[in-house]
């Protein structure tokens, strides 16, 4: 805000400088006599009068009368006191303008402008969903009158997707046409949208879009992630592992994306019947280190640690759970993202009796037997991915002690 006022003050100073510039130019100290100026004027008039007479443009009587008038004015002028013609700065006027102009500018801005918007800490009106919808509808109308604006259609598609209007978003991507051909990110977004509109099915159009995106940019992170998801959903777990492991070096370590990717990799390894490698690249046995620092092998007391219970679907949501959907029952240590156990089955098995133990661990470094309490939840997914997605059916998260039995997980919400 300070910068704005400084810029405004400089603008006012510049305007005043331009206004007063003629008065700041120095005039010659000797000045010019008013009598000299008048004499020069009279001489010029006399020359013009003589020329008019010579060219017969004036009658003789008129000539005599005009010449007599000029002579009389010359005589009258010589009787007045002489002075010096000079340009003097109107100091009072300059002072008044210098004060009134900035005061008037500030007053008008306060009355007609929006000073509050200059304060970053001041109240700001949030952009509402209605505002966004109005802007998007305005863009849609503009594009209908200019359908050749392919970039505009791509922008509209992303806007529709952001608002959750997926069917309209896909149609807008279709209208974007060739504008998408060399943009791997847009192609990946289009593929994700098309798969979402097909209930998580990547076959056909989504797969073709992903293939095209990876031809344009084989290292595009979103395209690689979705290609791995497509392979996972078609039960090509080894292919999913290869794709996601190629993506791993591109993801910032210890970020949410890295943790999500590791969870998905662990799920793929588990689905393929393999053990996920550790950072060293080798499977790690679950060991317990004693006081002397010697590995003593698995802790027998905790080897059978588990939690168990029942997963049911609320009657209002049963129609949304298709038999082919994936049910995931997940246990995590509170405050962490990596599951210590995941049970995966089909929705046809509901209501589901479950037991989560070390046999369902996704990583040798994260086992339920090493925890004292866990957060347990159930989720029904169209895609079967470890990452929660919009539209999944979910239960409330319950925190229980390891060893708890009879846990009841009621799937009664839809993830926004």
């Amino acid at each position: 805000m300070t910068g704005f006022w400084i810029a405004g003050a400089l603008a006012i100073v510049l305007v005043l400088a331009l206004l007063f510039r003629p008065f700041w130019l120095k005039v010659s100290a000797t000045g010019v006599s008013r009598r000299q100026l008048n004499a020069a004027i009279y001489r010029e008039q006399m020359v013009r009068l003589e020329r008019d007479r010579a060219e017969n443009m004036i009658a003789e009587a008129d000539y005599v009368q005009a010449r007599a008038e000029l002579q009389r004015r010359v005589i009258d002028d010589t009787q007045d006191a002489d002075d010096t013609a000079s340009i003097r700065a109107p100091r009072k006027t300059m002072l008044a303008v210098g004060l009134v102009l900035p005061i008037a500018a500030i007053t008008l801005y306060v009355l007609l402008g929006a000073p509050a918007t200059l304060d970053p800490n001041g109240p700001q009106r949030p952009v509402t969903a209605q505002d966004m919808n109005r802007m998007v509808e305005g863009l849609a109308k503009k594009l209908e009158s200019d359908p050749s604006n392919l970039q505009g259609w791509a922008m509209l598609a992303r806007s529709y997707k952001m608002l959750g209007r997926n069917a309209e978003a896909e149609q807008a991507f279709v209208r974007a046409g060739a504008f998408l051909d060399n943009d791997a990110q847009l192609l990946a977004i289009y593929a994700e949208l098309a798969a979402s509109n097909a209930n998580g099915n990547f076959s056909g159009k989504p797969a073709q879009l992903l293939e095209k995106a990876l031809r344009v940019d084989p290292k595009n992170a979103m395209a690689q992630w979705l290609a791995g998801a497509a392979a996972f959903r078609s039960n090509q777990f080894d292919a999913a592992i290869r794709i996601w492991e190629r993506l791993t070096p591109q993801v910032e370590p210890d970020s949410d994306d890295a943790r999500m990717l590791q969870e998905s990799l662990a799920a793929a390894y588990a689905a393929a019947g393999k053990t996920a490698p550790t950072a060293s690249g080798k499977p790690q046995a679950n060991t317990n280190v004693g006081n002397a620092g010697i590995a003593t092998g698995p802790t027998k007391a905790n080897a059978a640690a588990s939690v168990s219970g029942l997963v049911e679907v609320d009657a209002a949501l049963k129609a949304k759970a298709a038999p082919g959907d994936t049910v995931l029952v997940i246990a995590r240590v509170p405050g962490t993202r990596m599951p210590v156990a995941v049970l995966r089955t089909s929705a046809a098995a509901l209501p589901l009796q479950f037991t989560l133990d070390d046999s369902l661990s996704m990583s040798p470094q994260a086992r339920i037997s090493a925890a004292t309490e866990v957060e347990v939840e159930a989720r029904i997914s169209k895609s079967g991915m470890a990452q929660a997605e919009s539209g999944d059916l979910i239960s409330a998260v319950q925190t229980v002690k390891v060893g708890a039995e009879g846990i009841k997980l009621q799937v009664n919400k839809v993830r926004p």
Side-chain angles (χ1 to χ4, degrees), residues 1-5 114-125:
M1 187 171 181
T2 302
F4 172 81
W5 290 117
T117 60
L118 297 174
D119 185 4
N121 299 318
Q124 302 289 331
R125 190 179 79 86

Side-chain angles (χ1 to χ4, degrees), residues 371-384:
T372 57
E373 65 177 13
V374 290
E375 293 177 343
V376 185
E377 64 178 311
R379 179 160 55 86
I380 301 175
S381 169
K382 294 288 184 185
S383 66

Side-chain angles (χ1 to χ4, degrees), residues 129-341:
Q130 290 78 6
D131 294 333
M132 288 297 300
N133 277 304
R134 277 197 298 271
M135 288 187 285
V136 170
E137 292 302 331
L139 177 58
K141 289 180 180 178
K142 182 178 179 180
L143 290 172
E144 288 297 341
S145 61
D146 182 18
S148 62
N149 184 356
L150 303 185
Q151 183 176 1
W153 285 110
M155 184 185 300
L156 180 63
R158 299 189 70 169
S159 300
Y160 277 143
K161 184 177 184 295
M162 182 179 65
L163 293 174
R165 298 164 62 174
N166 290 353
E168 293 165 290
E170 186 171 358
Q171 290 302 314
F173 268 129
V174 172
R175 300 286 293 272
F179 180 79
L180 309 177
D181 288 348
N182 296 313
D183 193 319
Q185 186 67 17
L186 285 177
L187 287 167
I189 294 172
Y190 187 6
E192 180 189 36
L193 185 68
S196 177
N197 288 342
N199 294 320
N201 185 0
F202 272 88
S203 61
K205 179 179 178 180
Q208 293 170 5
L209 290 168
L210 285 177
E211 183 181 352
K212 191 173 185 179
L214 290 171
R215 283 201 305 268
V216 173
D217 181 7
K219 292 187 176 181
N220 181 271
M222 186 175 184
Q224 290 184 83
W225 164 254
L226 292 172
F232 186 96
R233 294 173 190 182
S234 60
N235 296 324
Q236 299 175 22
F237 303 118
D238 289 336
I241 291 169
R242 287 195 302 272
I243 295 169
W244 283 337
E245 285 185 339
R246 285 199 303 269
L247 175 60
T248 300
Q250 298 177 227
V251 181
E252 184 180 351
D254 299 324
S255 65
D256 287 343
D257 288 341
R259 285 189 286 271
M260 182 182 72
L261 182 57
Q262 288 306 312
E263 289 176 14
S264 298
L265 268 170
Y269 271 104
K274 300 179 180 180
T275 302
T278 62
S280 63
K282 297 179 181 179
Q284 178 178 325
N286 185 31
T287 59
N288 179 43
V289 179
N291 292 334
I294 299 173
T296 60
T299 303
K300 293 182 180 179
N302 290 333
S306 65
V307 294
S308 61
L310 176 69
V311 176
E312 294 181 313
V313 182
D314 188 275
L317 295 181
K318 282 186 177 180
K320 294 182 177 290
D325 292 349
T326 300
V327 177
L328 298 105
V329 186
I330 304 168
R332 293 185 178 89
V333 175
T336 66
R337 290 176 55 89
M338 173 66 77
V340 292

Side-chain angles (χ1 to χ4, degrees), residues 3-66:
F4 172 81
W5 290 117
I6 292 174
L10 290 175
I12 291 174
V13 170
L14 178 61
V15 171
L16 292 175
L18 293 174
L19 286 174
F20 299 153
R21 183 173 175 270
F23 302 108
W24 290 345
L25 297 176
K26 299 211 177 195
V27 183
S28 172
T30 56
V32 180
S33 168
R34 188 179 66 180
R35 186 173 295 170
Q36 291 174 332
L37 289 174
N38 290 344
I41 293 171
Y42 296 148
R43 280 197 297 272
E44 182 181 354
Q45 291 178 345
M46 184 62 72
V47 169
R48 187 178 302 165
L49 185 61
E50 293 293 343
R51 184 174 62 249
D52 291 345
R53 180 190 181 196
E55 294 176 356
N56 295 321
M57 296 179 64
I58 186 174
E60 185 66 24
D62 293 335
Y63 165 76
V64 172
Q65 183 179 355

